[in-house]
Amino acid sequence: MNKKSWLITILLAAIAVICLPSMHAVAGDELPKEIVVGGPISMTGKFAKEGQQGFWGFQIAERWVNEVYGGVKIGGKKIPIRYKYYDDESKKESVTSLLERLITVDSVKFLLAPYSSGLTIAGAPIAEKYKALYMSHGGAGDRIFEQGYRYAVQTIGIGSRYQLSALDMVRSIDPNARKVALFFKDDEFSRTVMDGAKEYIKKNGFEIVFERTYPAEAKDMTPALTEMKIKNPDILLAGGHFADGQLLAKQIGDMGIDVKAASILVAPTLPAFIQALGKQANGFLGPSHWEIGARFGIETSKTIGSGYFGPTQEWFINEFRKVSKGTDPEYHAADAIASILVYVKAIETAQSLDTDKVRAAMNRLHFVPFYGEWGIDPDTGKQIKHQMVLIQWQNGEKEIIWPIEAQTAKPCYPVAACPGRK
């Protein structure tokens, strides 16, 4: 054997040695015919509209991974995923029992947490007990990830930042608008949002002139709105989830409350908001994790120095409209598909289905799907990279108005001047 052949032989041997540990790691695991991901989801009950969007998002994610991407690449094979779910009826007691069933009967160890912070935190101890990974796509509350859970991981952006973009937008247009009213649903998620907003308000020269919460099943908000109107706030930060947010917006319109800017959680981001309120919806703002037209893509990944992974936004929207029979996707669906993309990416990075190894791989992940940047705090699992956008209804269309680099339209300010409102 000549000198060149010896060098090639030594080089190949070195490569084999380098690759050996990871190959052994995979060979040690018995690869299944499919990887089951799933969880409880609200197909009925008070979170049914948000749950329906998430359900369609998961279905589309399953289709993309299996039919377009070709399966999860592990151990030299491509393993398809299967989405498994049960209707939690928007109830905490259902969430805990269904998670037990998914883990112990269906052998699901890559869980998708239910919608809302309250349901997500209720299920977290079950996932922790069985060392199953627990991906939050609809639980934004910061407190979920401040309990020391090792297996809970967040894809949706954190709740404490939800209303900051509305304050930033108003300050850029009207520096004299400083009086803020806070009117929130009395639940885990909304309290987190309000705490984050209050801290930001204090640091940035705004003044809280009204602060009130309302019960989860509120049917009439007019007494509190009457008190708020007397305080003459410039900015209203309000809401909780869809049903109460829609009621709140309608009663604000019916009472002729004339704030300059009104940002409501969750409800304005759903197509059902404009369907229910008609022209009264125009002018309302809402924080969102993703919207059609958001410019997160390959160029974004180049800017931040990470890779792009997943379908294009155009593919996602087209497939969503097929499965939903014409309904447009909103951020609950984008959160859902992004959550499954994270599992695929993390399993491939770990080259293992061991939940501890996959969790460790998540700590190293930083990438961009069409949903936007993804990256977590390694200690808590809290999402720290994802940036939110602010939407506003204008002439019956949902527009991205903030930040400036993501705009599909300029902000309409004040609310009363918004086109299509009268």
Side-chain angles (χ1 to χ4, degrees):
M1 184 178 291
N2 59 33
K3 185 176 181 180
K4 184 177 180 181
S5 298
W6 271 108
L7 288 173
I8 292 173
T9 301
I10 292 169
L11 178 61
L12 291 174
I15 292 172
V17 168
I18 292 169
C19 294
L20 196 55
S22 63
M23 293 300 291
H24 271 312
V26 172
D29 299 331
E30 187 174 344
L31 292 177
K33 293 182 179 178
E34 59 184 12
I35 299 171
V36 185
V37 296
I41 192 162
S42 300
M43 301 300 289
T44 57
K46 60 185 177 182
F47 299 135
K49 289 191 182 299
E50 298 95 329
Q52 179 66 76
Q53 282 270 336
F55 175 70
W56 284 327
F58 290 133
Q59 285 188 313
I60 293 169
E62 180 185 49
R63 182 179 303 170
W64 184 82
V65 171
N66 294 341
E67 298 177 12
V68 179
Y69 187 61
V72 184
K73 298 170 184 172
I74 177 171
K77 296 182 178 180
K78 295 182 178 179
I79 311 294
I81 64 167
R82 179 164 61 87
Y83 172 50
K84 179 76 177 180
Y85 73 97
Y86 295 106
D87 178 12
D88 61 34
E89 301 174 301
S90 308
K91 298 176 180 176
K92 289 182 180 180
E93 59 271 25
S94 298
V95 164
T96 53
S97 62
L98 290 175
L99 281 170
E100 287 264 11
R101 178 174 177 177
L102 282 158
I103 297 168
T104 61
V105 178
D106 300 313
S107 301
V108 180
K109 57 182 180 179
F110 301 108
L111 295 167
L112 299 160
Y115 177 75
S116 84
S117 296
L119 297 188
T120 297
I121 201 167
I126 306 299
E128 198 75 7
K129 173 183 173 183
Y130 292 100
K131 299 182 178 182
L133 283 169
Y134 189 57
M135 180 71 71
S136 174
H137 64 96
D142 295 32
R143 198 167 68 87
I144 302 167
F145 303 92
E146 295 169 352
Q147 308 301 308
Y149 294 128
R150 174 174 169 74
Y151 298 93
V153 177
Q154 188 176 36
T155 285
I156 191 172
I158 56 175
S160 56
R161 296 189 58 81
Y162 263 63
Q163 291 286 22
L164 309 192
S165 55
L167 294 167
D168 286 340
M169 186 275 289
V170 172
R171 186 169 54 175
S172 74
I173 296 174
D174 183 5
N176 294 320
R178 296 190 171 278
K179 294 187 294 183
V180 182
L182 303 174
F183 190 35
F184 279 69
K185 184 177 179 179
D186 188 14
D187 69 358
E188 172 73 29
F189 165 62
S190 306
R191 284 193 296 273
T192 296
V193 173
M194 183 159 59
D195 288 344
K198 287 166 70 174
E199 184 177 344
Y200 196 75
I201 285 167
K202 290 174 184 174
K203 289 181 179 177
N204 290 277
F206 294 98
E207 176 190 5
I208 297 174
V209 297
F210 177 86
E211 181 178 345
R212 187 72 58 84
T213 58
Y214 55 81
E217 306 302 330
K219 302 297 183 188
D220 182 10
M221 302 182 184
T222 56
L225 288 173
T226 301
E227 291 182 38
M228 185 192 77
K229 187 176 181 180
I230 295 171
K231 300 294 184 181
N232 194 29
D234 300 309
I235 306 163
L236 170 63
L237 305 181
H241 293 93
F242 178 76
D244 54 289
Q246 177 182 303
L247 173 66
L248 177 62
K250 184 176 188 312
Q251 294 192 330
I252 287 172
D254 291 345
M255 294 174 67
I257 295 176
D258 191 20
V259 292
K260 293 178 179 178
S263 179
I264 296 179
L265 299 175
V266 181
T269 65
L270 290 159
F273 187 73
I274 189 74
Q275 294 165 5
L277 269 67
K279 64 181 182 181
Q280 277 191 355
N282 290 312
F284 278 104
L285 307 164
S288 175
H289 298 275
W290 172 86
E291 291 293 332
I292 293 175
R295 301 168 187 169
F296 302 122
I298 294 174
E299 291 305 314
T300 311
S301 68
K302 290 179 181 177
T303 301
I304 64 173
S306 71
Y308 183 88
F309 181 67
T312 64
Q313 180 176 156
E314 291 73 21
W315 185 92
F316 167 69
I317 293 170
N318 288 336
E319 292 302 310
F320 189 92
R321 287 171 176 160
K322 290 178 187 174
V323 75
S324 69
K325 297 183 169 40
T327 299
D328 278 342
E330 39 75 39
Y331 78 74
H332 300 90
D335 290 332
I337 188 171
S339 296
I340 288 186
L341 292 176
V342 172
Y343 272 140
V344 173
K345 191 81 171 167
I347 290 169
E348 290 186 347
T349 300
Q351 282 296 290
S352 173
L353 296 174
D354 179 274
T355 54
D356 286 312
K357 293 176 182 177
V358 175
R359 175 66 179 82
M362 287 179 178
N363 290 343
R364 306 193 297 274
L365 284 186
H366 182 202
F367 73 104
V368 177
F370 72 88
Y371 170 71
E373 204 171 342
W374 194 94
I376 59 170
D377 173 63
D379 292 332
T380 63
K382 185 184 291 185
Q383 180 58 227
I384 57 174
K385 295 292 186 182
H386 189 69
Q387 300 297 315
M388 299 191 71
V389 299
L390 183 68
I391 65 96
Q392 184 177 45
W393 285 97
Q394 299 180 3
N395 257 336
E397 299 291 332
K398 187 168 56 173
E399 305 283 2
I400 301 172
I401 61 161
W402 200 263
I404 293 173
E405 56 267 29
Q407 283 179 344
T408 58
K410 293 187 179 301
C412 169
Y413 183 90
V415 172
C418 284
R421 186 165 176 82
K422 295 182 179 178

